[in-house]
Amino acid sequence: MPLTLPHVLVVGDGLAGCLIAWELHFRGCSFAVWSDGSPAASDVAAGMSNPVSFRRILPQWNAREQQDEARARYQLIESHLGTSLWRNVPIVRIFPNQEYADLWAERAAGGHGVSPFIEVMDLANLHKSIKAPCGAGLVPDAGWVNVVALTKKSRSKWQENGCWEQRAWKMDDGCPEGFDAVVDCRGIGAVEDLASFGLELRRNHGEVLRVKPAVEWGERIVNNVTWALPLGDGTYRVGSTHRWDIHEPICLDKTPEALMEGVSDARTHAQELECLEHRAGLRPTCFDRRPILGVVSKAQPHYHACVGWGARGVTIGPTVSRWTIEALLGERKAVPDEVNPKRFPTFTEN
Ligand SMILES: Cc1cc2nc3c(=O)[nH]c(=O)nc-3n(C[C@H](O)[C@H](O)[C@H](O)COP(=O)(O)OP(=O)(O)OC[C@H]3O[C@@H](n4cnc5c(N)ncnc54)[C@H](O)[C@@H]3O)c2cc1C
């Protein structure tokens, strides 16, 4: 630990900038947050925290540790903001075919890394609106974070404390006067600067809807590849899409119909869906789905990256923010190898 705590500039106030600022706040470190107001993935994020990768029925990266830390951290922030942010919301996974159902049942029975996270559902316990001809599984320990409320309320708090400014920053600006370190939380705003170190941050375009079914769909998230997340007011977040060929956060005309069709496939009766909202964002993503954290250049030791949170920012955020700040404060020698820029075969440290 340095004898005097550094004064830190946090650039970006999406989820990454927000959690980094809270990490500094809880440690009594002084900081300022700058954001240029460009579109943020965090304004679109559905906010789900799911410890299971459904494609191959595997646990997510460090699933247990990260989810436990995430829940505790959001609950602590809740107590400071005086608002509810985290909700436990189990996920019902509709099995696409018998082979998948058999593999799920085998793994749910025990002896696999994913076993502690999954159960086979008794079909009598399915909500009456759900259609699951091959059966369904349950992920009881899943959650939802109201990311928009979290980032908005945190921004208001920093504004009240006089430590938030609408202001752009780029690497060429260096460490602005009065600061000892910069933490880069610009999401895809960091693409060009990181490319000059051989670090490719990809833009993963995604869209979500908010819909209102004529008859309610229950209180669990239902996933049949397309998912529907209950927002608690009779409306549901529905998503999402993933495309690598669109580099602007634009809404495509054909997406609402496709997503509504997808989500309706999991329901027993066709019913009218009202689309209330359609939004798009760009997930900042790395080749191996891990973030880029820490120092990237010996010539710029003040610069600490905290970008590339991909599609799982809600769950990994609290842990990777802590790692970033521990490394910045010298509490750990460096961030773990799995999130270190050095893991990129193309990395050119200069
Ligand atoms: C459709 C969709 C659904 C998603 N659903 C989920 C989900 O259910 N669960 C989950 O965990 N994750 C989800 N995500 C992913 C999640 O949104 C991201 O992991 C997370 O929000 C990334 O946060 P970030 O702060 O790194 O980036 P962003 O939220 O993009 O924030 C970047 C910030 O930097 C600012 N900025 C950019 N350039 C500059 C500059 N030059 N100077 C100053 N400020 C700058 C921007 O204004 C913004 O404030 C979803 C994403 C999308 C698009």
Side-chain angles (χ1 to χ4, degrees), residues 11-18 34-50 144 147 151 155 167-170 185-190 204-208 227 229 240-241 279-284 306-316:
V11 189
D13 70 352
L15 185 60
C18 168
W34 292 1
S35 178
D36 69 355
S38 53
S42 307
D43 293 340
V44 179
M48 283 182 292
S49 175
N50 176 8
W144 175 69
V147 177
T151 51
R155 184 178 307 131
R167 197 159 162 183
W169 179 91
K170 59 185 180 320
C185 301
R186 288 177 294 162
I188 58 112
N204 182 233
H205 179 271
E207 292 169 88
V208 287
W227 44 257
L229 160 82
S240 63
T241 58
R279 306 202 65 178
L282 299 171
R283 306 173 184 92
C306 189
V307 295
W309 289 23
R312 299 190 54 242
V314 166
T315 315
I316 69 168

